[in-house]
Amino acid sequence: MKALVALILLVQLPIHKAVPAAPPAPLGCDDPESEAAAEVAVNYINGHSHHGYKFALNRIEDIRVVPQGPNNDIIFLELDLLETKCPILSPTPLENCTVRSFAEHAVEGDCDVKLQKVDGTLSVLASKCHSHADSSEDILKVCPDCPLLASLNNTEVLETVSAALNDYNSKTTDSYLRLLEIGRAKIQYHPGHVVVTEFAVGATNCSAEEAKANVGACQLLPEDQSNFGFCTAVMVKRPSQDLQVDCQLYGHQVPAPDIPLLSWGEDTSAGLAPSAVGVTNHNLGLFHNNPVASESSSSEILRSMLSAKSVTKRAVAEAAQHDKVPRPVGFVPPPPPCPGKIRHFDI
């Protein structure tokens, strides 16, 4: 009889089912973990870009974390970057580089980056970037008299760079400088006619005096002695004629093990490197796979980036539908996890 009662009581006891753990909340674009990943990504992008200027983070557009196992995550980032005033060759740390103002005809970079986080350590698997200057219409609305960016193959731009280099080399007793690439150029027509250029240079194995005899024999210094620099030139054509040149050499820099020194083309007959005769400015065009990463297939990485984007878009759409549910009076919804805050200005 006692056994029967015990059995009846056992049957009547509530059965507690195991409740599955709730999935972790999505990572917000302004969370410290997101910002740490973005910092690693931006440093990687600047470290593997061989042309133009360094870019700084302006906004984290999106982030998606895909768990791979214990303490192992794949992170997908969408980043908005802005061009700084520091040439890519400059040893100046990014945190000390000034972002160009909107009125200076700002340039934006859009990047997709894939990272891996293992035991708290972040590494970049791949990055894909492109950049574009803000529209002329946007600049002129804010600053009608501001000069706009000029094409790098503009005749006046090329003439100014050539004259500036000749002027500098004719006055220096140091190494003869050779043009590597033109970084920026502007032409102002009113109230005066002024051409402003910025360009990268490299020291050669000739002195300026030796170059006068046979400039064709002057080659960039070998890697163990390399010395790159950057110049600005202002040529006033009207109302007077004047040329001002300022060049700064950075000294020899030892590259990171997986980042070779910049490789530049041979001079053309005009004395301009082929990279200087482009029609676009500030090209951040970059698709780079980390050679030491465990994933090396470009197509696989790109597909995974696009797949992560589509999943994120679906989640945003579902969240939007969920937000249509009536809320209590006075309810204040939490801020959306993405996109994040704008650090400088929007283009």
Side-chain angles (χ1 to χ4, degrees), residues 136-189:
S136 302
E137 291 78 9
D138 288 347
I139 301 297
L140 296 177
K141 284 179 184 177
V142 177
C143 183
D145 298 325
C146 288
L148 302 174
L149 290 172
S151 295
L152 301 184
N153 66 346
N154 179 284
T155 302
E156 288 189 273
V157 171
L158 298 179
E159 288 176 349
T160 299
V161 171
S162 181
L165 260 182
N166 289 337
D167 182 76
Y168 183 88
N169 281 321
S170 68
K171 297 175 181 178
T172 185
T173 57
D174 297 326
S175 296
Y176 178 81
L177 298 185
R178 201 185 94 181
L179 177 68
L180 299 180
E181 71 171 1
I182 302 174
R184 255 184 173 248
K186 289 184 176 182
I187 303 177
Q188 180 175 317
Y189 295 98

Side-chain angles (χ1 to χ4, degrees), residues 208-254:
E209 189 64 29
E210 291 170 338
K212 293 177 182 178
N214 185 10
V215 68
C218 299
Q219 303 296 322
L220 288 176
L221 292 173
E223 183 170 321
D224 60 347
Q225 305 172 35
S226 62
N227 189 5
F228 299 120
F230 206 74
C231 301
T232 58
V234 179
M235 177 178 281
V236 179
K237 293 190 169 185
R238 196 184 64 246
S240 60
Q241 291 193 348
D242 182 43
L243 176 63
Q244 297 180 6
V245 187
D246 178 50
C247 294
Q248 178 188 5
L249 292 177
Y250 301 131
H252 177 55
Q253 299 177 57
V254 180

Side-chain angles (χ1 to χ4, degrees), residues 31-327:
D31 289 350
E33 295 90 341
S34 304
E35 295 185 340
E39 181 179 2
V40 171
V42 172
N43 287 336
Y44 181 88
I45 290 165
N46 284 324
H48 289 79
S49 177
H50 289 173
H51 301 281
Y53 301 83
K54 296 180 182 181
F55 278 75
L57 179 65
N58 188 39
R59 188 183 207 183
I60 301 175
E61 283 287 339
D62 198 12
I63 181 168
R64 175 164 172 76
V65 180
V66 182
Q68 300 294 296
N71 299 318
N72 185 356
D73 295 324
I74 296 295
I75 302 173
F76 298 93
L77 282 175
E78 288 183 48
L79 304 176
D80 283 347
L81 312 181
L82 286 175
E83 183 189 76
T84 72
K85 295 184 178 182
C86 289
I88 204 69
L89 296 165
S90 172
T92 303
L94 180 61
E95 56 268 24
N96 295 335
C97 294
T98 303
V99 170
R100 291 191 188 273
S101 69
F102 181 84
E104 290 179 277
H105 207 160
V107 175
E108 180 182 34
D110 297 315
C111 294
D112 293 328
V113 186
K114 182 177 183 180
L115 305 94
Q116 187 170 28
K117 187 175 184 179
V118 179
D119 295 329
T121 300
L122 287 160
S123 59
V124 175
L125 300 180
S127 60
K128 181 176 182 291
C129 299
H130 71 275
S131 59
H132 62 277
D134 193 12
S135 69
S136 302
E137 291 78 9
D138 288 347
I139 301 297
L140 296 177
K141 284 179 184 177
V142 177
C143 183
D145 298 325
C146 288
L148 302 174
L149 290 172
S151 295
L152 301 184
N153 66 346
N154 179 284
T155 302
E156 288 189 273
V157 171
L158 298 179
E159 288 176 349
T160 299
V161 171
S162 181
L165 260 182
N166 289 337
D167 182 76
Y168 183 88
N169 281 321
S170 68
K171 297 175 181 178
T172 185
T173 57
D174 297 326
S175 296
Y176 178 81
L177 298 185
R178 201 185 94 181
L179 177 68
L180 299 180
E181 71 171 1
I182 302 174
R184 255 184 173 248
K186 289 184 176 182
I187 303 177
Q188 180 175 317
Y189 295 98
H190 302 287
H193 188 172
V194 183
V195 183
V196 181
T197 60
E198 301 178 9
F199 51 95
V201 294
T204 68
N205 56 358
C206 297
S207 67
E209 189 64 29
E210 291 170 338
K212 293 177 182 178
N214 185 10
V215 68
C218 299
Q219 303 296 322
L220 288 176
L221 292 173
E223 183 170 321
D224 60 347
Q225 305 172 35
S226 62
N227 189 5
F228 299 120
F230 206 74
C231 301
T232 58
V234 179
M235 177 178 281
V236 179
K237 293 190 169 185
R238 196 184 64 246
S240 60
Q241 291 193 348
D242 182 43
L243 176 63
Q244 297 180 6
V245 187
D246 178 50
C247 294
Q248 178 188 5
L249 292 177
Y250 301 131
H252 177 55
Q253 299 177 57
V254 180
D258 65 326
I259 306 175
L261 276 171
L262 307 188
S263 177
W264 306 94
E266 294 298 320
D267 283 336
T268 64
S269 58
L272 299 178
S275 57
V277 194
V279 295
T280 59
N281 291 287
H282 337 286
N283 182 18
L284 190 61
L286 173 71
F287 190 100
H288 196 276
N289 295 314
N290 190 336
V292 299
S294 58
E295 302 185 39
S296 59
S297 169
S298 300
S299 58
E300 179 185 347
I301 290 173
L302 182 56
R303 281 197 302 271
S304 58
M305 284 181 172
L306 295 175
S307 174
K309 280 188 178 183
S310 63
V311 171
T312 302
K313 287 180 179 178
R314 286 200 303 273
V316 170
E318 291 170 1
Q321 287 296 115
H322 185 261
D323 284 342
K324 293 180 181 179
V325 177
R327 303 291 187 184

